[in-house]
């Protein structure tokens, strides 16, 4: 049972990472230091998608699931098991990826705007 609980903790951690990936730039509007976590998360996500690097969290979750007598995640890993085909139909994956990219870019534009406003306010 302990391995199952740990597998669930890894799954929750993975969802938290996904939340940071999508919404981290928006957090930086209020807390600019959040970019120190958000930028590496975006770089990691882009790299894993482009180069097909296996995610260490997926590997860890699969190992814990196996030790807890649960089946492995779907062959595509975390995204295929928990998100694609669950939250949206698989054929919309490119559209969802584009929407996430737009959300990240928009959040960075917001960071640039709010940072500029802070600098103008403190310069007065």
């Amino acid at each position: 049972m302990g391995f199952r609980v740990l597998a669930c903790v890894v799954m929750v951690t993975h969802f938290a990472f996904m939340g940071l990936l999508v919404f981290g730039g928006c957090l930086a509007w209020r807390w600019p230091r959040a970019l120190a976590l958000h930028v590496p998360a975006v770089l990691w996500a882009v790299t894993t998608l482009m180069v097909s690097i296996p995610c260490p969290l997926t590997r860890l979750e699969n190992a814990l699931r196996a030790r807890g007598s649960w089946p492995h995640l779907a062959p595509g890993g975390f995204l295929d098991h928990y998100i694609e085909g669950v939250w949206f139909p698989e054929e919309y994956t490119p559209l969802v990826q584009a929407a996430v990219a737009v959300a990240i870019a928009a959040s960075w534009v917001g960071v640039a705007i709010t940072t500029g406003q802070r600098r103008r306010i403190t310069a007065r």
Side-chain angles (χ1 to χ4, degrees):
M1 170 141 158
F3 290 109
R4 291 179 177 189
V5 170
L6 290 174
C8 289
V9 168
V10 172
M11 177 211 35
V12 168
T13 302
H14 221 150
F15 272 110
F17 177 83
M18 296 300 292
L20 175 66
L21 175 67
V22 176
F23 300 111
C26 295
L27 284 174
W29 292 4
R30 175 68 178 100
W31 299 286
R33 292 183 183 184
L35 284 177
L37 295 173
H38 179 63
V39 171
V42 170
L43 292 174
W44 174 256
V46 169
T47 302
T48 58
L49 288 174
M50 292 178 68
V51 186
S52 296
I53 297 171
C55 177
L57 287 175
T58 300
R59 284 181 157 181
L60 179 58
E61 185 177 350
N62 272 333
L64 292 169
R65 288 172 71 88
R67 296 284 308 262
S69 300
W70 276 356
H72 281 272
L73 297 175
F78 176 83
L79 292 175
D80 282 355
H81 189 83
Y82 294 112
I83 297 179
E84 292 176 3
V86 177
W87 289 13
F88 58 87
E90 284 187 51
E91 62 264 17
Y92 293 128
T93 297
L95 180 63
V96 171
Q97 288 174 339
V100 167
V102 167
I104 291 168
S107 72
W108 287 1
V109 168
V111 168
I113 291 169
T114 57
T115 301
Q117 289 174 345
R118 282 191 188 117
R119 286 187 182 151
R120 280 191 293 262
I121 291 170
T122 58
R124 291 180 186 174

